[in-house]
Amino acid sequence: MNSRPSLQRSRWMAYALVGCGALLMLAPFYVMFVFATQSRTDIFSVPPPLWFGDDLWANLRLLGERIPFWRSVGWSLYVALMSTALTLLFCAMGGYAFAMFEFRFKRPLFALVLGTMLLPSFMSMIPSFMVMDLLGWIDEPRALYLPGAANAFGIFLMRQYVRSAVPKELIEAARMDGCGEFGLFVRIVLPLLKPALGTLGLISFIGSWNNFVGPLIVLRSPEHFTLPLALRLLQNPVDTEWGALIAGAAVATLPLIALFMLASRQLIAGLTAGAVK
């Protein structure tokens, strides 16, 4: 008799817990957007402002005067789109090959690919710079999206999804009908990989958009700086325009928020694919 009220109470407690967690997660974003509309003096006032101010356009104008902000937005968008497109292409091809083909040293090669995920990222900083310098790619945006196009995480994700979502019988039937390997991959395999491609694309775009260390290593000219590196130029020990800096960070966050809202279902579908047979 008491099981139903107890169940309802547990459900509301779970809702309250999730709601509190959501508020804690959203609080930094709210503060950032509020501070983006305040002047430097208002930001450091006591108590700090908790509602939107009138200095947003002044902060954006100051942002454009101090750094090539909108050019940096364009470079970030270009690098993120190229990185995402190449990652989807090469990782899908690599994952499909590891899942569907049998070839010599397949298992050692796949273990080697996974082994690269165990290396800390800072260990590749000096070798990456040396390779980019050898290729003549220093201060070139292509140095930010070509080297990491076929990454281990993407290959592993696509391989696992191909094994769970692409029947081998379908591949064999297409080959018997005379479909070539490239046509088979484009016409049959890629449409079946949409959830995983959406997940990997979202992760790749966010990672490239937020990348700070990569541009710091290979870019030299402020005209080629991506957004995280350009915003760093606003900081100095003497005179940091915090209102403009936070406004730039808020503008940089907007595309990621919009992308996540549009692709959140695709992300969940891709990450949970294969969890339930």
Side-chain angles (χ1 to χ4, degrees):
M1 296 294 292
N2 295 329
S3 60
R4 186 175 183 83
S6 177
L7 181 62
Q8 291 287 344
R9 192 160 50 248
S10 300
R11 182 177 299 175
W12 283 110
M13 288 178 64
Y15 288 156
L17 183 61
V18 172
C20 292
L23 289 176
L24 289 175
M25 294 286 290
L26 293 175
F29 292 96
Y30 176 77
V31 172
M32 177 181 65
F33 285 116
V34 168
F35 282 5
T37 64
Q38 307 288 343
S39 65
R40 180 172 57 179
T41 304
D42 294 332
I43 290 173
F44 289 99
S45 62
V46 180
L50 296 178
W51 191 245
F52 300 96
D54 302 321
D55 293 304
L56 175 61
W57 298 114
N59 289 335
L60 291 177
R61 184 173 62 252
L62 185 61
L63 195 61
E65 293 172 357
R66 293 288 185 94
I67 61 174
F69 178 71
W70 298 110
R71 178 180 293 180
S72 298
V73 172
W75 277 121
S76 285
L77 186 62
Y78 166 73
V79 170
L81 290 176
M82 289 296 296
S83 176
T84 302
L86 292 176
T87 297
L88 292 180
L89 174 63
F90 290 123
C91 289
M93 294 172 65
Y96 172 68
F98 277 116
M100 290 296 177
F101 289 93
E102 294 296 332
F103 51 89
R104 196 176 183 184
F105 304 122
K106 173 181 174 179
R107 291 187 176 181
L109 283 175
F110 188 66
L112 180 63
V113 170
L114 294 184
T116 61
M117 298 174 65
L118 303 177
L119 298 176
S121 59
F122 67 84
M123 291 185 63
S124 64
M125 292 173 61
I126 295 177
S128 296
F129 176 81
M130 295 175 65
V131 172
M132 295 302 105
D133 187 39
L134 183 65
L135 294 174
W137 288 3
I138 297 297
D139 205 24
E140 293 287 342
R142 58 187 170 182
L144 299 176
Y145 56 79
L146 283 177
N151 61 79
F153 171 76
I155 293 175
F156 173 74
L157 177 66
M158 299 308 297
R159 182 234 187 202
Q160 296 302 107
Y161 193 84
V162 168
R163 294 185 66 179
S164 64
V166 182
K168 288 188 176 181
E169 294 79 8
L170 181 62
I171 302 299
E172 294 172 358
R175 287 173 180 159
M176 291 179 64
D177 288 339
C179 186
E181 291 296 333
F182 181 76
L184 188 154
F185 178 75
V186 173
R187 298 177 185 177
I188 298 177
V189 176
L190 283 183
L192 295 175
L193 301 183
K194 284 183 179 180
L197 290 173
T199 301
L200 182 59
L202 183 61
I203 294 173
S204 300
F205 186 92
I206 293 175
S208 178
W209 183 269
N210 291 331
N211 188 14
F212 176 77
V213 176
L216 183 65
I217 294 173
V218 299
L219 298 183
R220 294 291 178 267
S221 304
E223 294 79 13
H224 293 161
F225 280 1
T226 55
L227 196 50
L229 205 56
L231 291 177
R232 178 64 180 82
L233 294 176
L234 289 173
Q235 290 185 269
N236 62 75
V238 179
D239 183 29
T240 300
E241 287 292 342
W242 290 103
L245 180 61
I246 297 175
V251 173
T253 306
L254 289 176
L256 301 183
I257 294 176
L259 183 64
F260 183 80
M261 292 178 65
L262 292 173
S264 58
R265 290 187 178 180
Q266 197 83 354
L267 175 64
I268 296 172
L271 291 176
T272 58
V276 180
K277 273 288 185 180

